[in-house]
Amino acid sequence: MVAEKATHDINLHDVNLFLHDEFHEAFRILRQEAPVHWNIGSARANGFWSVTKYEDILTVSRHPEIFISSKGIAGSGEREPDPTDMARAAERPQGEGTSSIITMDPPRHVKMRRLVNKGFTPRAVNAMEPKIREMTRQILDEVGDRKSGDFVLEVSSRLPLAVICGLMGLPRESWDLMFDLTNAALGAGDPEYQQAQTGQAGHTSIAKETARRGNARMAEYFREVMADRRENPQEDLISLLLEAELDGDKLTEGEILAFCNLLVVAGNETTRNAISGGMVVLDENPEERAKLQSDMPKYIDTAVEEMLRWTSPLHHMTREATEDFEIRGQHISPGEKVIMWYPSANRDEDVFEDPYRFDIQRDPNDHLAFGIGEHFCLGAGFARAEVRVMFEELFDRYPNIKVTGDPDRLRSSFINGVKHLQVDYR
Amino acid sequence: MTCELHGRCEESAPDVFRLSDDDDWAQVLVNPVPDDLHEQVERAILTCPRQAIAWKDTRPGE
Protein backbone atom coordinates (compact mmCIF):
# COMPACT_ATOMS: atom_id res chain seq x y z
CA MET A 1 0.00 0.00 0.00
CA VAL A 2 1.43 3.35 -0.94
CA ALA A 3 0.56 6.38 1.14
CA GLU A 4 -0.05 9.28 -1.17
CA LYS A 5 1.29 12.68 -0.28
CA ALA A 6 -1.43 15.17 0.49
CA THR A 7 -0.98 18.45 -1.33
CA HIS A 8 -0.26 20.23 1.95
CA ASP A 9 2.73 17.92 2.44
CA ILE A 10 4.27 18.97 -0.83
CA ASN A 11 6.88 21.65 -0.32
CA LEU A 12 8.62 22.67 -3.48
CA HIS A 13 11.13 24.72 -1.46
CA ASP A 14 12.72 21.39 -0.61
CA VAL A 15 15.61 21.18 -3.04
CA ASN A 16 16.09 17.53 -2.21
CA LEU A 17 12.86 16.72 -4.08
CA PHE A 18 14.83 17.50 -7.20
CA LEU A 19 17.82 15.35 -6.48
CA HIS A 20 16.11 12.27 -7.81
CA ASP A 21 12.77 12.13 -9.61
CA GLU A 22 10.37 12.69 -6.72
CA PHE A 23 9.33 16.05 -8.10
CA HIS A 24 7.48 14.30 -10.94
CA GLU A 25 5.14 12.61 -8.47
CA ALA A 26 4.68 15.85 -6.54
CA PHE A 27 3.70 17.63 -9.77
CA ARG A 28 1.37 14.83 -10.78
CA ILE A 29 -0.51 15.20 -7.51
CA LEU A 30 -0.64 18.99 -7.81
CA ARG A 31 -1.93 18.84 -11.39
CA GLN A 32 -4.73 16.64 -10.19
CA GLU A 33 -5.54 18.13 -6.79
CA ALA A 34 -4.39 21.73 -6.84
CA PRO A 35 -3.24 22.92 -10.23
CA VAL A 36 -2.79 26.51 -9.03
CA HIS A 37 -1.41 25.96 -5.57
CA TRP A 38 -0.10 28.29 -2.92
CA ASN A 39 3.21 26.89 -1.64
CA ILE A 40 3.82 28.48 1.74
CA GLY A 41 7.11 30.23 2.43
CA SER A 42 10.02 28.70 4.28
CA ALA A 43 12.17 30.36 6.93
CA ARG A 44 14.22 31.95 4.18
CA ALA A 45 12.09 32.11 1.06
CA ASN A 46 8.76 33.68 0.16
CA GLY A 47 5.64 31.70 -0.58
CA PHE A 48 4.59 31.36 -4.20
CA TRP A 49 1.90 30.10 -6.53
CA SER A 50 2.81 26.83 -8.20
CA VAL A 51 1.45 26.51 -11.72
CA THR A 52 1.69 22.94 -12.94
CA LYS A 53 -0.81 22.66 -15.82
CA TYR A 54 0.33 23.22 -19.42
CA GLU A 55 -2.65 25.40 -20.19
CA ASP A 56 -2.04 27.65 -17.19
CA ILE A 57 1.65 28.07 -17.97
CA LEU A 58 0.50 29.19 -21.42
CA THR A 59 -1.84 31.73 -19.79
CA VAL A 60 0.87 33.18 -17.55
CA SER A 61 3.34 33.28 -20.43
CA ARG A 62 0.91 35.15 -22.66
CA HIS A 63 0.76 38.11 -20.25
CA PRO A 64 4.33 39.35 -19.72
CA GLU A 65 3.11 42.78 -18.59
CA ILE A 66 0.97 41.23 -15.85
CA PHE A 67 3.39 38.47 -14.89
CA ILE A 68 6.67 40.31 -15.00
CA SER A 69 10.27 39.11 -15.06
CA SER A 70 12.10 42.15 -13.72
CA LYS A 71 11.63 41.10 -10.08
CA GLY A 72 13.50 37.86 -10.66
CA ILE A 73 12.98 34.68 -12.67
CA ALA A 74 14.30 31.97 -10.38
CA GLY A 75 13.08 30.95 -6.96
CA SER A 76 10.59 32.94 -4.94
CA GLY A 77 12.82 35.59 -3.46
CA GLU A 78 14.17 35.90 0.05
CA ARG A 79 11.84 36.69 2.89
CA GLU A 80 14.33 39.09 4.39
CA PRO A 81 16.87 40.32 1.88
CA ASP A 82 20.33 39.98 3.38
CA PRO A 83 21.75 43.41 4.38
CA THR A 84 25.22 42.29 3.33
CA ASP A 85 23.81 41.84 -0.19
CA MET A 86 22.82 45.51 -0.28
CA ALA A 87 26.25 46.56 0.98
CA ARG A 88 27.92 44.37 -1.61
CA ALA A 89 25.76 45.72 -4.41
CA ALA A 90 26.83 49.24 -3.48
CA GLU A 91 30.51 48.22 -3.61
CA ARG A 92 30.26 46.49 -6.98
CA PRO A 93 32.12 47.99 -9.92
CA GLN A 94 29.99 50.13 -12.22
CA GLY A 95 27.43 48.24 -14.19
CA GLU A 96 27.66 44.83 -12.57
CA GLY A 97 24.29 43.51 -11.54
CA THR A 98 22.46 45.25 -14.39
CA SER A 99 19.63 43.13 -15.69
CA SER A 100 19.81 41.15 -18.90
CA ILE A 101 16.86 40.40 -21.20
CA ILE A 102 15.82 37.45 -19.07
CA THR A 103 14.82 39.84 -16.28
CA MET A 104 13.45 42.58 -18.50
CA ASP A 105 9.86 43.46 -19.28
CA PRO A 106 8.23 44.91 -22.38
CA PRO A 107 8.59 47.44 -23.92
CA ARG A 108 12.34 47.56 -23.27
CA HIS A 109 12.58 43.78 -23.51
CA VAL A 110 11.20 43.75 -27.04
CA LYS A 111 13.74 46.31 -28.27
CA MET A 112 16.66 44.68 -26.50
CA ARG A 113 15.82 41.28 -27.82
CA ARG A 114 15.52 42.59 -31.34
CA LEU A 115 19.11 43.80 -31.10
CA VAL A 116 20.38 40.27 -30.88
CA ASN A 117 17.81 37.93 -32.33
CA LYS A 118 19.17 38.09 -35.88
CA GLY A 119 22.07 36.04 -34.59
CA PHE A 120 19.69 33.28 -33.51
CA THR A 121 17.31 32.78 -36.44
CA PRO A 122 16.92 29.40 -38.21
CA ARG A 123 19.07 30.87 -40.97
CA ALA A 124 21.85 31.76 -38.52
CA VAL A 125 21.67 28.30 -36.99
CA ASN A 126 21.85 26.58 -40.38
CA ALA A 127 24.83 28.70 -41.33
CA MET A 128 26.65 27.54 -38.24
CA GLU A 129 25.80 23.86 -38.58
CA PRO A 130 29.01 22.80 -40.35
CA LYS A 131 30.99 24.49 -37.58
CA ILE A 132 28.88 22.75 -34.93
CA ARG A 133 29.58 19.41 -36.59
CA GLU A 134 33.30 20.19 -36.78
CA MET A 135 33.37 21.14 -33.09
CA THR A 136 31.50 17.93 -32.20
CA ARG A 137 33.99 15.82 -34.10
CA GLN A 138 36.91 17.57 -32.43
CA ILE A 139 35.40 16.87 -29.03
CA LEU A 140 34.92 13.21 -29.87
CA ASP A 141 38.45 13.07 -31.30
CA GLU A 142 39.65 14.05 -27.84
CA VAL A 143 37.68 11.19 -26.32
CA GLY A 144 39.49 9.01 -28.82
CA ASP A 145 40.08 5.37 -28.00
CA ARG A 146 39.41 5.52 -24.31
CA LYS A 147 37.22 2.77 -22.96
CA SER A 148 35.39 4.73 -20.30
CA GLY A 149 35.04 8.17 -18.80
CA ASP A 150 32.76 10.96 -17.60
CA PHE A 151 30.33 11.80 -20.38
CA VAL A 152 29.52 15.21 -18.90
CA LEU A 153 33.10 16.46 -18.55
CA GLU A 154 34.34 14.88 -21.76
CA VAL A 155 31.38 15.27 -24.12
CA SER A 156 28.11 16.95 -23.19
CA SER A 157 29.55 20.00 -21.44
CA ARG A 158 31.98 20.74 -24.25
CA LEU A 159 29.80 21.31 -27.29
CA PRO A 160 27.39 23.96 -25.93
CA LEU A 161 30.35 25.77 -24.46
CA ALA A 162 32.23 25.66 -27.76
CA VAL A 163 29.24 26.91 -29.72
CA ILE A 164 28.41 29.84 -27.46
CA CYS A 165 32.07 30.80 -27.19
CA GLY A 166 32.31 30.57 -30.98
CA LEU A 167 29.28 32.85 -31.37
CA MET A 168 30.91 35.34 -29.05
CA GLY A 169 34.29 35.11 -30.71
CA LEU A 170 35.97 33.78 -27.56
CA PRO A 171 39.21 31.86 -28.17
CA ARG A 172 39.63 28.14 -27.49
CA GLU A 173 41.86 28.99 -24.49
CA SER A 174 38.91 30.56 -22.63
CA TRP A 175 36.64 27.54 -22.77
CA ASP A 176 37.84 25.89 -19.53
CA LEU A 177 37.60 29.15 -17.57
CA MET A 178 34.05 29.68 -18.86
CA PHE A 179 33.08 26.19 -17.78
CA ASP A 180 34.27 26.81 -14.20
CA LEU A 181 32.66 30.23 -13.95
CA THR A 182 29.26 29.10 -15.20
CA ASN A 183 29.24 26.15 -12.85
CA ALA A 184 29.86 28.51 -9.95
CA ALA A 185 27.22 31.01 -11.03
CA LEU A 186 24.42 28.51 -11.62
CA GLY A 187 25.28 25.49 -9.53
CA ALA A 188 25.77 27.60 -6.41
CA GLY A 189 23.47 25.41 -4.30
CA ASP A 190 25.58 22.37 -4.98
CA PRO A 191 28.40 21.48 -2.55
CA GLU A 192 30.74 20.34 -5.29
CA TYR A 193 30.77 23.69 -7.07
CA GLN A 194 30.79 25.69 -3.84
CA GLN A 195 33.90 23.87 -2.76
CA ALA A 196 35.73 24.77 -5.91
CA GLN A 197 34.97 28.48 -5.55
CA THR A 198 35.23 29.05 -1.81
CA GLY A 199 37.12 26.10 -0.38
CA GLN A 200 34.12 25.32 1.83
CA ALA A 201 30.77 23.68 1.41
CA GLY A 202 27.48 23.81 3.16
CA HIS A 203 25.01 26.68 3.45
CA THR A 204 23.24 29.65 1.88
CA SER A 205 25.89 32.28 2.50
CA ILE A 206 28.46 30.01 0.90
CA ALA A 207 26.16 29.57 -2.07
CA LYS A 208 25.88 33.33 -2.43
CA GLU A 209 29.62 33.80 -2.12
CA THR A 210 30.18 31.13 -4.74
CA ALA A 211 27.81 32.84 -7.16
CA ARG A 212 29.26 36.27 -6.41
CA ARG A 213 32.82 35.20 -7.11
CA GLY A 214 31.83 33.37 -10.27
CA ASN A 215 30.00 36.44 -11.56
CA ALA A 216 32.79 38.82 -10.58
CA ARG A 217 35.45 36.82 -12.38
CA MET A 218 33.25 36.47 -15.43
CA ALA A 219 32.70 40.25 -15.53
CA GLU A 220 36.44 40.82 -15.28
CA TYR A 221 37.04 38.50 -18.21
CA PHE A 222 34.42 40.08 -20.41
CA ARG A 223 35.70 43.58 -19.74
CA GLU A 224 39.00 42.48 -21.25
CA VAL A 225 37.23 41.04 -24.29
CA MET A 226 35.15 44.20 -24.74
CA ALA A 227 38.29 46.35 -24.57
CA ASP A 228 39.81 44.22 -27.31
CA ARG A 229 36.73 44.36 -29.54
CA ARG A 230 36.53 48.14 -29.24
CA GLU A 231 39.97 48.29 -30.81
CA ASN A 232 39.44 45.38 -33.19
CA PRO A 233 35.80 44.74 -34.06
CA GLN A 234 35.03 41.20 -35.21
CA GLU A 235 31.96 39.52 -36.71
CA ASP A 236 30.76 38.28 -33.34
CA LEU A 237 28.05 39.00 -30.81
CA ILE A 238 30.24 41.11 -28.52
CA SER A 239 31.20 43.37 -31.40
CA LEU A 240 27.53 43.57 -32.41
CA LEU A 241 26.58 44.59 -28.87
CA LEU A 242 29.29 47.26 -28.76
CA GLU A 243 27.98 48.74 -32.02
CA ALA A 244 24.29 48.38 -31.15
CA GLU A 245 21.98 51.24 -30.33
CA LEU A 246 18.83 51.19 -28.27
CA ASP A 247 16.62 54.31 -28.42
CA GLY A 248 19.55 56.18 -29.93
CA ASP A 249 21.93 55.30 -27.10
CA LYS A 250 24.70 52.79 -27.05
CA LEU A 251 24.35 49.93 -24.63
CA THR A 252 26.12 50.57 -21.33
CA GLU A 253 29.00 48.41 -20.24
CA GLY A 254 26.72 46.96 -17.59
CA GLU A 255 24.10 45.98 -20.17
CA ILE A 256 26.69 44.30 -22.38
CA LEU A 257 28.22 42.48 -19.42
CA ALA A 258 24.79 41.31 -18.36
CA PHE A 259 24.06 39.99 -21.85
CA CYS A 260 27.41 38.16 -22.06
CA ASN A 261 26.77 36.69 -18.65
CA LEU A 262 23.33 35.50 -19.69
CA LEU A 263 24.50 33.96 -22.95
CA VAL A 264 27.40 32.09 -21.43
CA VAL A 265 25.27 30.77 -18.60
CA ALA A 266 22.07 30.07 -20.53
CA GLY A 267 23.72 28.69 -23.65
CA ASN A 268 25.99 26.42 -21.70
CA GLU A 269 24.29 24.65 -18.83
CA THR A 270 20.88 23.90 -20.27
CA THR A 271 21.96 22.31 -23.55
CA ARG A 272 24.61 20.32 -21.70
CA ASN A 273 21.88 18.85 -19.54
CA ALA A 274 19.63 18.10 -22.50
CA ILE A 275 22.47 16.04 -24.00
CA SER A 276 23.40 14.29 -20.74
CA GLY A 277 19.77 13.69 -19.85
CA GLY A 278 19.13 12.47 -23.37
CA MET A 279 21.96 9.96 -23.02
CA VAL A 280 20.50 8.70 -19.74
CA VAL A 281 16.95 8.30 -21.02
CA LEU A 282 18.05 6.60 -24.24
CA ASP A 283 20.14 4.20 -22.21
CA GLU A 284 17.13 3.50 -19.99
CA ASN A 285 14.93 2.78 -23.02
CA PRO A 286 16.90 0.29 -25.10
CA GLU A 287 14.12 -0.34 -27.63
CA GLU A 288 13.77 3.35 -28.39
CA ARG A 289 17.52 3.69 -28.55
CA ALA A 290 17.88 0.76 -30.94
CA LYS A 291 15.13 2.22 -33.13
CA LEU A 292 16.90 5.57 -33.24
CA GLN A 293 20.26 4.06 -34.10
CA SER A 294 18.71 1.87 -36.79
CA ASP A 295 17.71 4.94 -38.81
CA MET A 296 19.03 8.20 -37.43
CA PRO A 297 17.85 10.47 -40.28
CA LYS A 298 14.31 9.16 -39.94
CA TYR A 299 14.01 9.46 -36.15
CA ILE A 300 16.49 12.06 -34.93
CA ASP A 301 14.29 15.15 -35.16
CA THR A 302 11.37 13.74 -33.20
CA ALA A 303 13.83 12.02 -30.85
CA VAL A 304 15.45 15.37 -30.04
CA GLU A 305 12.05 16.87 -29.20
CA GLU A 306 11.22 13.92 -26.98
CA MET A 307 14.56 14.24 -25.19
CA LEU A 308 13.74 17.90 -24.56
CA ARG A 309 10.26 17.10 -23.29
CA TRP A 310 11.60 14.35 -21.07
CA THR A 311 14.60 16.16 -19.58
CA SER A 312 13.10 19.68 -19.32
CA PRO A 313 16.49 21.19 -18.47
CA LEU A 314 14.90 24.13 -16.64
CA HIS A 315 12.65 23.10 -13.78
CA HIS A 316 10.94 26.46 -13.56
CA MET A 317 10.73 30.12 -14.32
CA THR A 318 9.31 32.67 -11.89
CA ARG A 319 7.13 35.70 -12.53
CA GLU A 320 5.68 38.34 -10.22
CA ALA A 321 2.07 39.44 -10.59
CA THR A 322 1.43 43.16 -11.01
CA GLU A 323 -2.36 42.93 -11.05
CA ASP A 324 -5.09 40.79 -9.60
CA PHE A 325 -5.53 37.75 -11.82
CA GLU A 326 -7.60 34.65 -11.51
CA ILE A 327 -6.64 31.20 -12.76
CA ARG A 328 -8.92 28.21 -12.10
CA GLY A 329 -10.70 30.11 -9.38
CA GLN A 330 -7.47 30.93 -7.55
CA HIS A 331 -6.96 34.60 -6.93
CA ILE A 332 -3.43 35.85 -7.52
CA SER A 333 -2.65 39.23 -5.99
CA PRO A 334 -0.13 41.89 -7.05
CA GLY A 335 3.31 41.23 -5.60
CA GLU A 336 2.84 37.49 -5.40
CA LYS A 337 5.30 35.16 -7.09
CA VAL A 338 4.09 32.68 -9.68
CA ILE A 339 6.28 29.73 -10.58
CA MET A 340 5.79 27.86 -13.84
CA TRP A 341 6.99 24.27 -13.59
CA TYR A 342 7.96 23.14 -17.09
CA PRO A 343 8.59 19.44 -16.38
CA SER A 344 5.03 19.33 -15.12
CA ALA A 345 3.62 20.92 -18.26
CA ASN A 346 5.66 18.41 -20.21
CA ARG A 347 3.97 15.48 -18.45
CA ASP A 348 0.49 16.99 -18.49
CA GLU A 349 -1.97 14.16 -19.10
CA ASP A 350 -4.39 16.56 -20.80
CA VAL A 351 -1.82 17.38 -23.47
CA PHE A 352 0.43 14.36 -23.91
CA GLU A 353 -0.87 10.86 -24.43
CA ASP A 354 0.89 8.43 -22.11
CA PRO A 355 3.16 11.22 -20.88
CA TYR A 356 5.40 8.97 -18.76
CA ARG A 357 6.40 6.97 -21.82
CA PHE A 358 9.56 8.02 -23.61
CA ASP A 359 8.63 7.81 -27.30
CA ILE A 360 11.10 9.01 -29.91
CA GLN A 361 8.33 9.12 -32.50
CA ARG A 362 6.02 11.32 -30.42
CA ASP A 363 4.37 13.72 -32.82
CA PRO A 364 3.03 16.33 -32.30
CA ASN A 365 5.27 17.17 -29.36
CA ASP A 366 4.47 20.71 -28.32
CA HIS A 367 6.56 20.63 -25.16
CA LEU A 368 7.43 23.76 -23.19
CA ALA A 369 11.08 23.00 -22.50
CA PHE A 370 11.96 26.32 -24.15
CA GLY A 371 9.05 28.20 -22.61
CA ILE A 372 6.66 30.10 -24.85
CA GLY A 373 5.78 33.70 -25.68
CA GLU A 374 7.76 36.84 -25.04
CA HIS A 375 10.69 35.10 -23.32
CA PHE A 376 10.76 31.99 -25.51
CA CYS A 377 14.31 30.67 -25.45
CA LEU A 378 16.41 32.70 -27.84
CA GLY A 379 18.85 29.85 -28.23
CA ALA A 380 16.29 27.15 -29.03
CA GLY A 381 17.47 26.72 -32.61
CA PHE A 382 21.06 26.28 -31.50
CA ALA A 383 20.10 23.95 -28.70
CA ARG A 384 18.16 21.71 -31.08
CA ALA A 385 21.00 21.67 -33.60
CA GLU A 386 23.56 20.84 -30.93
CA VAL A 387 21.58 17.97 -29.47
CA ARG A 388 20.91 16.55 -32.92
CA VAL A 389 24.45 16.85 -34.24
CA MET A 390 25.90 15.48 -31.01
CA PHE A 391 23.83 12.31 -31.10
CA GLU A 392 24.40 11.88 -34.82
CA GLU A 393 28.16 12.00 -34.36
CA LEU A 394 28.23 10.21 -31.01
CA PHE A 395 26.30 7.17 -32.19
CA ASP A 396 28.25 7.10 -35.41
CA ARG A 397 31.56 6.92 -33.59
CA TYR A 398 30.53 5.11 -30.41
CA PRO A 399 27.47 3.04 -31.32
CA ASN A 400 27.83 0.87 -28.21
CA ILE A 401 28.27 3.65 -25.68
CA LYS A 402 26.76 2.59 -22.37
CA VAL A 403 25.90 4.36 -19.14
CA THR A 404 27.65 2.53 -16.30
CA GLY A 405 26.68 4.49 -13.21
CA ASP A 406 23.80 6.49 -11.76
CA PRO A 407 23.84 10.09 -12.94
CA ASP A 408 25.30 12.44 -10.32
CA ARG A 409 22.55 15.07 -10.16
CA LEU A 410 22.78 18.77 -9.46
CA ARG A 411 21.07 19.84 -6.23
CA SER A 412 18.84 22.54 -7.69
CA SER A 413 15.14 23.30 -8.06
CA PHE A 414 15.98 25.49 -11.04
CA ILE A 415 18.32 23.45 -13.24
CA ASN A 416 17.73 19.79 -14.01
CA GLY A 417 21.42 19.02 -14.12
CA VAL A 418 23.73 16.07 -14.38
CA LYS A 419 27.19 16.81 -13.00
CA HIS A 420 28.81 13.49 -13.82
CA LEU A 421 27.86 10.45 -15.86
CA GLN A 422 30.10 7.42 -16.04
CA VAL A 423 30.02 5.68 -19.41
CA ASP A 424 31.84 3.02 -21.34
CA TYR A 425 32.46 4.45 -24.78
CA ARG A 426 33.27 1.07 -26.29
CA MET B 1 4.45 39.41 -28.98
CA THR B 2 6.63 39.79 -32.04
CA CYS B 3 7.63 37.43 -34.79
CA GLU B 4 11.19 36.15 -34.69
CA LEU B 5 11.15 33.96 -37.78
CA HIS B 6 11.12 30.66 -35.91
CA GLY B 7 9.13 29.17 -38.77
CA ARG B 8 6.71 26.92 -36.90
CA CYS B 9 3.81 28.68 -38.64
CA GLU B 10 5.24 27.83 -42.04
CA GLU B 11 5.58 24.21 -40.90
CA SER B 12 1.97 24.05 -39.73
CA ALA B 13 0.37 26.05 -42.55
CA PRO B 14 2.74 26.35 -45.51
CA ASP B 15 0.03 27.75 -47.77
CA VAL B 16 -0.61 30.60 -45.35
CA PHE B 17 2.75 31.57 -43.83
CA ARG B 18 6.05 32.03 -45.57
CA LEU B 19 9.42 33.07 -44.17
CA SER B 20 11.98 34.69 -46.38
CA ASP B 21 15.49 35.87 -45.66
CA ASP B 22 14.68 39.45 -46.53
CA ASP B 23 11.77 40.02 -44.17
CA ASP B 24 11.62 40.92 -40.49
CA TRP B 25 8.56 38.74 -39.94
CA ALA B 26 6.63 35.92 -41.53
CA GLN B 27 4.46 36.88 -44.46
CA VAL B 28 0.80 35.95 -44.70
CA LEU B 29 0.12 34.60 -48.18
CA VAL B 30 -3.65 34.40 -48.10
CA ASN B 31 -5.98 36.58 -46.08
CA PRO B 32 -8.83 35.96 -45.25
CA VAL B 33 -7.95 32.35 -44.63
CA PRO B 34 -10.05 29.87 -46.60
CA ASP B 35 -12.12 27.45 -44.50
CA ASP B 36 -10.08 24.40 -45.39
CA LEU B 37 -6.93 25.99 -43.96
CA HIS B 38 -8.46 27.15 -40.67
CA GLU B 39 -7.32 24.14 -38.68
CA GLN B 40 -3.75 24.56 -39.87
CA VAL B 41 -3.81 28.21 -38.87
CA GLU B 42 -5.19 27.30 -35.43
CA ARG B 43 -2.24 25.03 -35.00
CA ALA B 44 0.14 27.77 -36.12
CA ILE B 45 -1.38 30.12 -33.54
CA LEU B 46 -1.00 27.55 -30.77
CA THR B 47 2.55 26.55 -31.59
CA CYS B 48 4.10 29.92 -32.43
CA PRO B 49 6.93 30.11 -29.88
CA ARG B 50 6.46 33.86 -29.60
CA GLN B 51 2.66 33.66 -29.58
CA ALA B 52 2.78 36.31 -32.28
CA ILE B 53 -0.24 35.21 -34.35
CA ALA B 54 -3.88 35.98 -33.71
CA TRP B 55 -7.11 36.06 -35.69
CA LYS B 56 -7.87 39.62 -36.67
CA ASP B 57 -11.56 39.52 -37.52
CA THR B 58 -14.34 37.14 -36.59
CA ARG B 59 -14.47 34.12 -38.79
CA PRO B 60 -17.41 33.69 -41.16
CA GLY B 61 -20.41 32.39 -39.27
CA GLU B 62 -19.44 33.93 -35.93
Side-chain angles (χ1 to χ4, degrees), chain A residues 135-236:
Chain A
M135 286 166 169
T136 308
R137 288 178 178 170
Q138 275 173 19
I139 288 162
L140 296 179
D141 283 342
E142 284 176 32
V143 172
D145 289 330
R146 86 183 66 175
K147 161 111 172 89
S148 54
D150 182 336
F151 184 77
V152 175
L153 292 186
E154 293 154 18
V155 180
S156 62
S157 62
R158 301 201 161 265
L159 181 60
L161 190 63
V163 169
I164 202 75
C165 286
L167 269 176
M168 296 174 79
L170 302 181
R172 177 71 183 80
E173 301 78 65
S174 301
W175 294 3
D176 288 333
L177 174 64
M178 285 299 114
F179 184 82
D180 289 339
L181 292 179
T182 60
N183 283 334
L186 265 189
D190 190 279
E192 181 176 343
Y193 297 136
Q194 286 168 15
Q195 193 100 26
Q197 280 291 327
T198 64
Q200 303 166 31
H203 51 61
T204 320
S205 60
I206 307 278
K208 278 197 249 173
E209 182 62 17
T210 308
R212 194 193 66 81
R213 287 195 196 183
N215 283 316
R217 287 177 64 208
M218 187 134 56
E220 199 181 292
Y221 175 73
F222 279 121
R223 277 198 193 90
E224 286 170 25
V225 177
M226 281 165 61
D228 174 78
R229 298 296 187 272
R230 277 194 198 99
E231 300 296 312
N232 314 299
Q234 313 283 334
E235 294 270 313
D236 60 34

Side-chain angles (χ1 to χ4, degrees), chain A residues 62 113 117 122 366 373-374, chain B residues 1 4-5 43 49-51:
Chain A
R62 281 185 176 139
R113 185 151 162 148
N117 69 16
D366 299 325
E374 186 64 30
Chain B
M1 319 278 180
E4 269 179 351
L5 303 170
R43 185 150 171 75
R50 297 278 287 165
Q51 297 286 283

Side-chain angles (χ1 to χ4, degrees), chain A residues 25 58 62 67 75 91 98 111 164 166 184 196 220 223 257 259 280 282 302 304 308 340 347 383 393 397 399 424:
Chain A
E25 179 59 12
L58 224 54
R62 281 185 176 139
F67 297 104
E91 281 167 22
T98 307
K111 292 181 188 159
I164 202 75
E220 199 181 292
R223 277 198 193 90
L257 280 179
F259 193 82
V280 169
L282 281 171
T302 49
V304 167
L308 289 164
M340 301 181 284
R347 299 274 201 287
E393 296 296 322
R397 193 174 307 206
D424 281 347

Side-chain angles (χ1 to χ4, degrees), chain A residues 39-55:
Chain A
N39 197 113
I40 61 171
S42 67
R44 284 211 177 82
N46 294 320
F48 57 89
W49 290 101
S50 255
V51 177
T52 45
K53 292 290 286 179
Y54 185 105
E55 189 187 327

